[in-house]
Amino acid sequence: PFIAAKIACSNDFYTKSRSKFITNEYSRNVSHLLRYKFDSILTSYKTVNADNSKLTCRINGLESHSPKRLIIDKNLKINKKCIVINDKYKNKTIIFHSTRDKKKIRYFKSRGIRLSYTDLDSDNNIDLKKVFSKAYNIGIGSIIIEGGKELTKSVLKDKLINEFYLFKS
């Protein structure tokens, strides 16, 4: 699939803030427009657990065009109370994992969450090339990555993206 990555940082290059947002309302609206334009949004369980983000498009009239939500979570450590596991769009959530923990797998499947077992790479992380291949095979033609520093650094290092958006306050 076509891969884009987006990250927001402060003027001094921090990606986290004590307040809720680093960027302004205009930047957030652009982010929601990007979510509308892409088939899916990819992030890690760490970002989901830290932000409890909805990972949806919240532009009036375009909410139903929210992207599929792809989450990298090797050991299924995502918070079971987070929005993406419990909202009305949970059937659009796919977690890429590599655990064999049957109890965790049963729980997420019982919630209607799609799970995709994915092999690890040589660094013992979920193999992102395999994630992208699996996504493409289920009809996902474009992915916007809204991850933290680690995920963004990984896709940049491995030259896996076609387009990059930097929102700097």
Side-chain angles (χ1 to χ4, degrees):
F2 182 87
I3 309 291
K6 177 192 87 70
I7 197 162
C9 70
S10 63
N11 196 38
D12 51 1
F13 299 104
Y14 284 95
T15 58
K16 291 187 179 184
S17 171
R18 286 191 181 112
S19 69
K20 186 167 179 167
F21 300 110
I22 288 177
T23 57
N24 61 20
E25 186 177 346
Y26 174 78
S27 297
R28 289 190 297 279
N29 286 336
V30 171
S31 291
H32 287 284
L33 184 60
L34 289 171
R35 289 178 180 183
Y36 159 74
K37 293 176 84 172
F38 281 81
D39 295 336
S40 64
I41 181 170
L42 175 78
T43 194
S44 70
Y45 82 94
K46 289 179 185 177
T47 299
V48 171
N49 286 352
D51 301 342
N52 197 20
S53 174
K54 295 177 183 176
L55 302 177
T56 58
C57 172
R58 292 189 293 281
I59 296 174
N60 286 336
L62 299 178
E63 298 90 350
S64 65
H65 297 281
S66 289
K68 285 184 172 62
R69 303 179 294 196
L70 312 178
I71 301 168
I72 305 294
D73 187 1
K74 182 167 81 170
N75 295 308
L76 295 177
K77 292 183 176 179
I78 193 167
N79 184 333
K80 292 176 182 176
K81 294 182 181 180
C82 70
I83 293 169
V84 297
I85 302 299
N86 296 292
D87 69 0
K88 68 180 180 179
Y89 299 109
K90 66 184 176 185
N91 64 333
K92 294 177 100 174
T93 301
I94 305 169
I95 300 176
F96 295 89
H97 70 95
S98 65
T99 187
R100 302 256 187 226
D101 186 326
K102 289 180 174 40
K103 185 177 177 186
K104 286 182 179 181
I105 291 168
R106 262 193 314 274
Y107 174 80
F108 287 107
K109 285 185 175 181
S110 75
R111 300 287 308 140
I113 305 301
R114 285 181 61 184
L115 298 176
S116 180
Y117 182 88
T118 307
D119 293 327
L120 302 177
D121 62 17
S122 59
D123 294 324
N124 204 32
N125 294 314
I126 294 286
D127 188 326
L128 292 174
K129 290 178 184 173
K130 290 185 179 175
V131 167
F132 297 151
S133 178
K134 287 179 174 208
Y136 185 77
N137 287 334
I138 61 168
I140 293 173
S142 61
I143 299 171
I144 182 131
I145 299 170
E146 288 190 23
K149 206 168 25 175
E150 287 179 42
L151 180 57
T152 304
K153 183 175 154 183
S154 178
V155 294
L156 285 170
K157 178 182 76 103
D158 293 339
K159 299 178 181 167
L160 297 175
I161 60 170
N162 303 98
E163 198 167 76
F164 186 76
Y165 296 90
L166 174 65
F167 292 81
K168 188 174 172 191
S169 66

